[in-house]
Amino acid sequence: MSVRKAVMVLYRVCWIAFFVMVVISLLPRPPFPYWLTWVPAAAAVALSLTAGRRGRAAVADPPPAVEIEPPVTGRWTALNSPADKVPSHGVHAYGQTYAIDIVAEPGTESGTEAEPGAEPVLFRPKFRALWPVARRNHHFPAFGAPLLAVADGTVVHASHGSRDHLSRNSLPALVYLTLIEASVRDMRGAGAIVGNHIVLDLGGGTYAMYAHLRQGSLRVRAGERVRAGQPLAECGNSGNSTEPHVHFQLMDDPDLDVAVGIPFTWRGAGVPANGEIFMVGAAAHGTPAGEPVRESARESGGAQAS
C-alpha cells in the first residue's frame, strides 16, 4: 500500500471514530471528556490537507491539457467547470481537480413547441426551495443518455451495481445530501462517492473516469479495448449526485484514492464554462464534432450537480 493510499484509509478511519465518539458522548456518563471527541475530526482534516498536497502542487505547475473527444452528444450545460475554478469541485480528493459536471439541456421551459409528430421535449426540472422535495430520474433528460469513449483505450474498472436514487434538487434534499449523505459516502470510500463508474486507460499515464452511471447500463467490461466514440454506458444518478448528470475527469492513476487530476479539452467544444450551454454532434470514432453552439444558461436557475 502506498503512502497516499494509507493516508486516505486513515482519513476515513478518523471520521468513523469521530462519529462513533459523538454517539458515545450522548450517553449519561461517557467514558471520556467531550473535547476528546474532536481529536479524530482534527486528525481527519489534517490528513485531508496532506492528501491534497500533491494536487495543489500540480495546479501550481499544471501539465498541458489533453485533447480528447466529448463524452456525450447533443445539448448540455456545464456545471462545476475547471474553466472557472480550480479545483473545480472545491477539493483535490479523488482526482477531481479538473473534473466537470454536465447536465442535458435539450430545451428550456420557454422554448418553442415540438413539431407535429415529433417526440415532446423533456425539460430539465429547476431547483425548488421546498416542493417537490425529490423527483424520479425519468424527469431529467440526462438520465439514460449514452456515454461515449473519449479516446481509444482499455477499460480498467467498470461497475454498475449501485442504485439510482431520487434527485436532491430541492433545499431540504440538498441539506440532507450535504450534511448527512455525503459524509456517510465519504467514510465508505471513493466508490460510494462516484457511484457506478468507468475508468479508461488512455495510455501515457492518463486515465478517464465517468461517474454516476445508470445502474445496469454497462456495455463494456474490465480489460476490454474500446474505440473513441464507442458507447460505454448510460448517464445515471448513482453515488453522491444531486440529479442525473455526467461527472467526467482525467487523472494520473486509476485508483481514485491516490489519483491527481489532469487538465483536458474536448475537441470541438473546449472546456465549457459554468452555466454555458454547448452542443456537440456525432463525434464518434475520432470525427471532429465541429464548432459548438454556445449560450448562457445562468438564468435557468438549475441546481448544481455533484
Side-chain angles (χ1 to χ4, degrees), residues 185-238:
R185 290 185 181 278
D186 195 28
M187 286 187 290
R188 290 173 56 195
I193 293 289
V194 300
N196 302 321
H197 62 289
I198 289 176
V199 177
L200 295 182
D201 182 355
L202 307 184
T206 301
Y207 299 83
M209 197 273 287
Y210 306 68
H212 313 308
L213 308 183
R214 184 178 185 177
Q215 185 179 36
S217 69
L218 279 182
R219 299 189 184 183
V220 295
R221 63 183 65 182
E224 184 176 339
R225 286 285 300 173
V226 297
R227 300 281 295 175
Q230 178 178 333
L232 303 175
E234 296 176 4
C235 175
N237 195 33
S238 58

Side-chain angles (χ1 to χ4, degrees), residues 16 34-35 60 97 102 104 111-112 132 137 146 154 158 170 179 209 238 248 292 303:
I16 293 172
Y34 180 74
W35 65 266
T97 302
I102 57 174
T112 58
N137 291 311
T154 302
S170 69
L179 299 182
M209 197 273 287
S238 58
F248 177 84

Side-chain angles (χ1 to χ4, degrees), residues 5 67 76 83 118 128 132 161 201 209 219:
K5 182 74 173 181
E67 187 177 47
W76 296 75
R128 299 298 183 183
D201 182 355
M209 197 273 287
R219 299 189 184 183

